[in-house]
Amino acid sequence: MAQDIDKFDPRYLVTLDEIYHSHWTTQKKQRIAFFREIIKYFWPKGHPTQLIEITGTNGKGSVAYYLEQGFKSVSRSGSWTGPHVFDYAERFHINGQQVTHDDIVAAYRKIQELYGQFLKEGYEQTSLSFAETGILMTLHLFEQYDVKWGMMEVGCGGRYTPLMALDMVACVLTNVGNDHPQSLGTELWQRAMDKAGIARPGVPFFTAEMDAALPYVVKTAEAEGANVIQIDQKAVEKMRELQPNAPEFKLRNLALASQVIRYFHPELTLPHLLEFMVSKLPGRFANVAPNVIVDVAHNPDKITRLAEELSYTYPNQKFCFLLGLTRSRDVRQVFESILKLAKRIVITGASYAGQDPESLAEQLRLDFPDVLVENNPEKAYQQELKRLEQDDILVLTGSAYMIDQAINSNPYIRHLNATYGWRVKNNSNDY
């Protein structure tokens, strides 16, 4: 149980935090308000899809997909998730199927056309962000394909996400772990307060958090006026009866998604829903070739869950790991839980925002002496395929960018993924 929970006053703490960072929070709130005006202009009568927002440290993409698949059993459904691994189109699903490239092109052009009209009405001349563009394209696709239930995954945090500009029929928080301390706060209660900040007055708020963050989550959501519905261990054990070989975290995710769906459709049974909630998002514990698994885990919590799933799926197996890491993450902290499962480790590059492989290997050798380095992800992957013995399993993880560069079969998309933001970085004003 959280210490001094009686002293935890989320409304006051959020107020203090916003006062202490008034420039940052004012910009965020103004942008959300501005984005709300854009949405109102695009859909003056309100958007027809019933939207559900999902946040959390781990499992939010999987839960979004479970929800989409479960709702698909009764109505047309869709989802917007991230990150993508190989192709931007992976972020958009309708009724469990990835949309086409033609869908992406048409949706983007339509959004740009409408936004141009919006600006002509005299609104502030500013560009849409990467996330805002994706959200608007998703809403357009949901409307186009007559989606009744739409799942929207938060990119990071919750309280200040652009998704706060949308009306939701439910909010979902998977859990709160140790992620993004620089943007969400170094303390567990800070991260819980930010993620649970997606709660809305009168809107049901579901969470599968069962550990130290739970009191903070509940108090924060209730302070926002939400009705909190907790997924407890009893619900997990009930799911275990139906999925006896699944790891604990997967059972929690399935129980959470099932509870949300049955809140709106109580007539649906768990066995019925589990018939639909079977597929995974790209890059989540996915077999991409014989004896090759990729997983976009990139923080300590996600890597720990990957280690659990590897142990459940392949008991007593040792694995060959191809690893990359981005931004300022601590390599020893991130990969600590998989070291006991490692037969061999190779560190490679991660393109966008990637850390230096040699430096990463030097640090990781303090815990696992035999770490190899190959800077080029594609070359590293091909070399590892040749080294694999008959019963070996190769696992690529740590960075979606690394996985993309290692095995993306489309050289054109692979290049654009690796050079994201090059126009801004080069400050090109040639035309």
Side-chain angles (χ1 to χ4, degrees), residues 148-290:
K148 181 175 180 181
W149 296 98
M151 291 5 105
M152 308 290 284
E153 180 188 348
V154 172
C156 176
R159 185 177 296 274
Y160 303 104
T161 173
L163 289 175
M164 294 304 289
L166 296 170
D167 293 329
M168 299 288 167
V169 299
C171 295
V172 180
L173 189 156
T174 57
N175 51 44
V176 181
N178 181 24
D179 66 329
H180 302 287
Q182 292 179 327
S183 54
L184 303 182
T186 58
E187 302 300 307
L188 180 66
W189 61 265
Q190 289 179 297
R191 298 190 290 277
M193 198 166 65
D194 196 299
K195 293 177 188 293
I198 68 170
R200 323 290 176 94
V203 175
F205 179 95
F206 300 83
T207 182
E209 174 60 52
M210 299 182 195
D211 301 315
L214 180 59
Y216 302 126
V217 168
V218 173
K219 288 196 75 170
T220 300
E222 289 181 342
E224 298 296 336
N227 174 31
V228 179
I229 300 171
Q230 301 175 41
I231 309 305
D232 57 18
Q233 194 60 37
K234 184 178 179 181
V236 175
E237 292 307 318
K238 195 170 184 178
M239 188 61 67
R240 194 188 305 278
E241 294 174 5
L242 301 170
Q243 297 273 305
N245 297 320
E248 176 78 8
F249 71 86
K250 183 176 181 179
L251 296 174
R252 288 192 185 190
N253 290 340
L254 286 168
L256 177 60
S258 299
Q259 181 64 51
V260 175
I261 296 168
R262 295 179 74 196
Y263 178 88
F264 295 100
H265 287 281
E267 75 280 5
L268 300 179
T269 65
L270 291 180
H272 169 83
L273 288 175
L274 286 174
E275 289 181 12
F276 290 85
M277 298 191 299
V278 293
S279 298
K280 301 175 183 176
L281 286 166
R284 277 72 166 183
F285 205 78
N287 287 100
V288 296

Side-chain angles (χ1 to χ4, degrees), residues 17-31:
D17 184 62
E18 292 190 353
I19 291 171
Y20 293 169
H21 305 91
S22 58
H23 180 70
W24 185 90
T25 53
T26 297
Q27 284 187 323
K28 288 290 184 181
K29 288 186 166 186
Q30 287 179 340
R31 190 67 196 190

Side-chain angles (χ1 to χ4, degrees), residues 31 34-43 47 80 88 92 104 106-116 118 127-144 152 162-163 165-166:
R31 190 67 196 190
F34 176 69
F35 193 43
R36 190 175 291 118
E37 290 297 315
I38 296 173
I39 292 168
K40 187 185 299 184
Y41 181 85
F42 282 24
W43 292 279
H47 196 278
W80 180 65
Y88 180 73
F92 308 83
I104 295 294
Y108 176 74
R109 291 182 176 180
K110 184 63 177 178
I111 291 307
Q112 291 297 309
E113 175 190 343
L114 291 172
Y115 188 59
F118 172 80
S127 59
L128 293 170
S129 70
F130 179 83
E132 290 166 347
T133 299
I135 292 168
L136 292 174
M137 289 171 62
T138 302
L139 295 176
H140 172 73
L141 289 167
F142 283 175
E143 182 180 37
Q144 176 184 342
M152 308 290 284
L163 289 175
L166 296 170

Side-chain angles (χ1 to χ4, degrees), residues 121 125 185 193 204 266 281 326 386 408 411:
E121 296 289 330
Q125 294 287 323
M193 198 166 65
L281 286 166
T326 59
K386 293 177 182 178
N408 192 335

